[in-house]
Amino acid sequence: MIAIVMGVTGSGKTSVGRLLAQQLGWEFADADDFHPSANVEKISHGIPLTDEDRAPWLERLGIQIANWIANGQNAVLACSALKRTYRQELSVGPEVRFVYLKGSPELIRKRLQLRRGHFADEKILASQFADLEEPEAAVTVDISQAPEMIVAAIRERLGLESRSRFD
């Protein structure tokens, strides 16, 4: 299984995704690490990315997901995956499952104001919510609770209660 933990910036994708992967003994990757440097530069200046900017990033992610699947690896990927077309591009096999971390703009803005050292901040939050097409076929989890509770809910809803490799 490839669990893609998605949502807008500041929704907790990396924290929740890393904790989920740790609990399951799965590989973890952050989609931010797949961005070309030009994208990171734009985001760090509060400039929203275009679909054209995202195309090489999505291609890199699709290749990584396909490699995990081909190698029989389970993984958790923290990725915004805001638009339906992005999720379609990342759905390279039936092993891919989306987990949507849902929260109000007010809650996420507060979190972003406290966050330091990340290239994406509250300047791009409005554009992220504008781009967001909420997924229909995803496990949706409210982010107002503690990360441990969010991960427990994800594991329950994905049927990942025990430490398993699904081999």
Side-chain angles (χ1 to χ4, degrees), residues 96-163:
V96 177
R97 299 287 307 272
F98 288 91
V99 176
Y100 172 40
L101 300 183
K102 184 174 182 169
S104 70
E106 297 76 26
L107 173 63
I108 295 171
R109 187 173 296 104
K110 286 179 187 174
R111 288 182 176 186
L112 287 172
Q113 289 170 345
L114 299 172
R115 184 162 78 175
R116 300 287 177 256
H118 192 278
F119 65 92
D121 60 22
E122 65 180 310
K123 290 182 278 191
I124 67 164
L125 186 58
S127 71
Q128 292 239 315
F129 270 106
D131 284 347
L132 177 64
E133 297 170 3
E134 290 193 341
E136 297 160 5
V139 168
T140 300
V141 182
D142 177 2
I143 64 165
S144 63
Q145 39 191 335
E148 294 78 11
M149 299 300 292
I150 295 169
V151 169
I154 292 168
R155 289 181 64 177
E156 178 182 341
R157 299 193 44 214
L158 288 177
L160 301 172
E161 289 303 307
S162 62
R163 190 176 179 102

Side-chain angles (χ1 to χ4, degrees), residues 25-41:
W26 292 6
E27 183 169 342
F28 172 78
D30 192 322
D32 286 346
D33 297 334
F34 291 76
H35 272 298
S37 58
N39 286 4
V40 174
E41 185 70 19

